[in-house]
Amino acid sequence: DAGVIQSPRHEVTEMGQEVTLRCKPISGHNSLFWYRQTMMRGLELLIYFNNNVPIDDSGMPEDRFSAKMPNASFSTLKIQPSEPRDSAVYFCASSLTGEIYNEQFFGPGTRLTVL
Amino acid sequence: SQKIEQNSEALNIQEGKTATLTCNYTNYSPAYLQWYRQDPGRGPVFLLLIRENEKEKRKERLKVTFDTTLKQSLFHITASQPADSATYLCALGSGNTGKLIFGQGTTLQVKP
């Protein structure tokens, strides 16, 4: 398996623009997580899905952020409008929840810079 | 609120020595605790899991302890090597949702 795939790897945009981050989880995994990582706040959980259904979005900073998972093999995280404080590395992770280990497999991340 | 603390200062040790990293938590009763390794520019990679009813877990040169009374986990790397240099994150989980709460991580630097 190719692992968790994220695109783009790098995104530079201007304040006010819409940004869409994409994730393809590992085939067969039933949980998907979106995280944001910054030096100041570390790795923060934004939202997670079980079987394509959003379970907990309490980490989503504000209404400018939205996430969807239309099917088991694809998810998007959208920021509209983007702001400089959204600059961070965004990770997607997937896992097979319910199994003993529940380890999460992370993608390579998308480094977002909002100017 | 739930809080996880890892030593924010980098840990510098000499090759061959044992590295010990600490993870403390408050206002939380995790069912299990995981440790991840993160290299610069990459996503975290799972290393070990330990459950609340387990005191210690080992995997090759790695050892994790979990003290639910002290609310603390210790992560040891024996016979450390420069290749062990990375940031190590602890993460707490409960139930079967798969949701994890991560600490800020501790950066380990092993000097040859």
Side-chain angles (χ1 to χ4, degrees):
Chain A
D1 200 316
V4 176
I5 299 173
Q6 290 187 247
S7 64
R9 292 295 311 276
H10 301 273
E11 177 82 29
V12 180
T13 190
E14 292 190 348
M15 183 174 64
Q17 296 298 307
E18 177 180 298
V19 175
T20 299
L21 311 181
R22 297 173 177 80
C23 175
K24 177 178 167 53
I26 292 173
S27 177
H29 282 187
N30 61 348
S31 292
L32 184 139
F33 307 82
W34 281 102
Y35 291 91
R36 176 172 68 177
Q37 188 173 42
T38 61
M39 288 292 292
M40 288 295 295
R41 300 176 68 88
L43 193 62
E44 302 175 280
L45 177 66
L46 300 176
I47 185 172
Y48 76 95
F49 296 83
N50 275 356
N51 296 316
N52 313 337
V53 176
I55 301 300
D56 185 345
D57 65 354
S58 59
M60 296 286 260
E62 45 197 275
D63 292 344
R64 297 185 297 108
F65 286 68
S66 63
K68 293 182 180 179
M69 191 165 186
N71 56 62
S73 59
F74 184 66
S75 177
T76 59
L77 178 68
K78 185 178 292 187
I79 308 173
Q80 165 65 19
S82 57
E83 296 182 4
R85 60 191 167 125
D86 301 330
S87 297
V89 180
Y90 290 80
F91 288 104
C92 174
S94 70
S95 73
L96 193 57
T97 300
E99 294 295 322
I100 294 176
Y101 288 105
N102 287 341
E103 64 175 286
Q104 294 186 11
F105 295 81
F106 283 77
T110 295
R111 181 172 294 277
L112 173 65
T113 302
V114 183
L115 303 174
Chain B
S1 61
Q2 299 164 347
K3 193 174 180 181
I4 303 173
E5 288 186 349
Q6 293 186 255
N7 196 339
S8 58
E9 291 185 13
L11 179 63
N12 295 297
I13 65 169
Q14 206 67 33
E15 181 177 9
K17 300 293 186 182
T18 296
T20 299
L21 285 67
T22 305
C23 175
N24 295 299
Y25 60 93
T26 56
N27 298 324
Y28 199 65
S29 296
Y32 57 89
L33 187 148
Q34 299 182 2
W35 282 89
Y36 287 76
R37 168 183 172 141
Q38 186 173 22
D39 291 286
R42 293 178 176 269
V45 175
F46 172 80
L47 296 174
L48 276 171
L49 172 144
I50 186 165
R51 294 187 169 276
E52 60 179 335
N53 60 352
E54 298 174 319
K55 296 292 185 186
E56 181 180 298
K57 215 57 166 308
R58 292 175 184 261
K59 179 182 176 183
E60 298 173 353
R61 294 184 296 111
L62 309 180
K63 185 178 85 170
V64 173
T65 63
F66 193 11
D67 189 325
T68 55
T69 301
L70 291 178
K71 295 187 182 296
Q72 180 183 78
S73 174
L74 298 178
F75 177 80
H76 307 272
I77 306 175
T78 58
S80 59
Q81 305 166 0
D84 295 327
S85 298
T87 296
Y88 292 86
L89 305 162
C90 70
L92 306 182
S94 61
N96 282 327
T97 63
K99 177 179 177 178
L100 295 175
I101 301 174
F102 280 83
Q104 292 262 56
T106 298
T107 298
L108 171 68
Q109 188 73 33
V110 181
K111 298 180 188 282

